[in-house]
Amino acid sequence: MISKGAQSLSFILRMEAPICDKGVIIRRMGRFCMEASPFKTDLKFCPARIPEISLVSFTVQGEMLADSSGMAIGTMNADSFIENAGDEINAYEKVNLKLYYANEDGTGLVEENRRNVVYNSNISLEKLVVEQLVKGPLMEGAYPTINPSTKIISVSVKDGICYVNLGSDFLSQPNSVSAEVTIYSITNSLVELSNVNKVQISIGGETNITYREKIDLNNLFERNLDLLVTP
């Protein structure tokens, strides 16, 4: 039952049916349906929605639903979902990305252009960009800007602002990279996407944090190419 004025909803999934190697389990719950697959990190809504509900979370046997890397997906809103249907559910696409990583001494940004990056179309481009930043660069002369243990809790876009919610490991930087380089590595890479103008970064959903005692995460960040250097 959904009470009047409710703005969030949680589903408890009882995954009783086995998941076959290439199968997709579907659970229909009222006017919602979701799809879960061991090879996908995203969920999707059916077109029919409950207007009073703005947030959804999923648990499996009492535990928060996690993606294939074991990272908790957390609470999601409409911007967290991509609506694919039929044969598009497992479709793969290619995209060119412009990513920004650190230079050797960690004081500047270097640009890495990646062509024909293959990705599952159920993953948003914004999340793909953040995933690639966490994985680190491929280009010689470029260095990671984000702790590789950082978990991506959620990435969504609304009104041109990309909201990036990261796990607490983001606060620890194993490399000698400045705070500005890390923040603008994320910001500049995301703003390269046509639908993103600004970026807000949160840690576990919290923005009332001063990153490495230098940068207030309550701020919205815009493109900053002053840090760009030649590798």
Side-chain angles (χ1 to χ4, degrees):
M1 179 181 295
I2 301 172
S3 61
K4 185 176 181 181
Q7 295 186 359
S8 63
L9 179 65
S10 295
F11 289 128
I12 298 176
L13 306 184
R14 292 180 175 85
M15 308 282 278
E16 297 172 352
I19 300 178
C20 59
D21 288 344
K22 297 182 180 179
V24 175
I25 288 180
I26 298 177
R27 291 285 185 267
R28 285 185 170 81
M29 292 158 279
R31 296 177 62 195
F32 282 93
C33 78
M34 67 157 284
E35 297 180 354
S37 166
F39 303 106
K40 298 196 316 185
T41 59
D42 290 86
L43 307 171
K44 80 182 186 72
F45 278 123
C46 282
R49 305 186 183 197
I50 301 173
E52 293 84 3
I53 300 301
S54 59
L55 299 172
V56 178
S57 63
F58 297 89
T59 59
V60 181
Q61 296 179 345
E63 299 292 333
M64 185 64 70
L65 184 66
D67 63 17
S68 58
S69 66
M71 179 180 65
I73 292 174
T75 302
M76 295 165 282
N77 59 23
D79 294 322
S80 305
F81 296 86
I82 297 175
E83 296 195 16
N84 284 345
D87 294 337
E88 295 182 355
I89 290 174
N90 295 310
Y92 286 84
E93 298 183 7
K94 293 182 180 180
V95 66
N96 297 329
L97 298 176
K98 183 180 289 187
L99 305 172
Y100 293 85
Y101 294 100
N103 64 347
E104 185 173 6
D105 64 9
T107 61
L109 291 170
V110 296
E111 181 182 298
E112 179 178 323
N113 291 289
R114 293 192 188 174
R115 300 186 62 83
N116 297 322
V117 178
V118 178
Y119 72 102
N120 190 314
S121 62
N122 290 302
I123 299 175
S124 70
L125 284 177
E126 299 80 33
K127 185 174 182 181
L128 176 67
V129 166
V130 180
E131 287 180 341
Q132 296 301 309
L133 292 174
V134 172
K135 288 178 180 178
L138 301 177
M139 182 181 75
E140 185 176 354
Y143 296 83
T145 58
I146 301 174
N147 186 334
S149 299
T150 299
K151 296 185 182 300
I152 304 170
I153 298 173
S154 65
V155 182
S156 62
V157 178
K158 185 174 183 180
D159 298 329
I161 301 173
C162 185
Y163 297 91
V164 181
N165 187 11
L166 301 173
S168 59
D169 282 349
F170 176 73
L171 297 175
S172 61
Q173 177 54 260
N175 305 308
S176 57
V177 177
S178 72
E180 292 82 3
V181 166
T182 296
I183 293 299
Y184 287 103
S185 164
I186 298 170
T187 301
N188 289 355
S189 298
L190 286 168
V191 172
E192 290 292 339
L193 302 177
S194 60
N195 62 325
V196 178
N197 299 315
K198 299 179 181 180
V199 175
Q200 183 168 70
I201 299 170
S202 59
I203 309 300
E206 297 293 330
T207 58
N208 190 26
I209 294 171
T210 301
Y211 177 61
R212 294 171 63 184
E213 301 182 353
K214 292 184 177 181
I215 298 179
D216 186 355
L217 296 187
N218 275 314
N219 294 323
L220 295 178
F221 301 103
E222 300 183 57
R223 187 197 305 269
N224 178 2
L225 297 180
D226 292 341
L227 294 168
L228 192 61
V229 298
T230 302

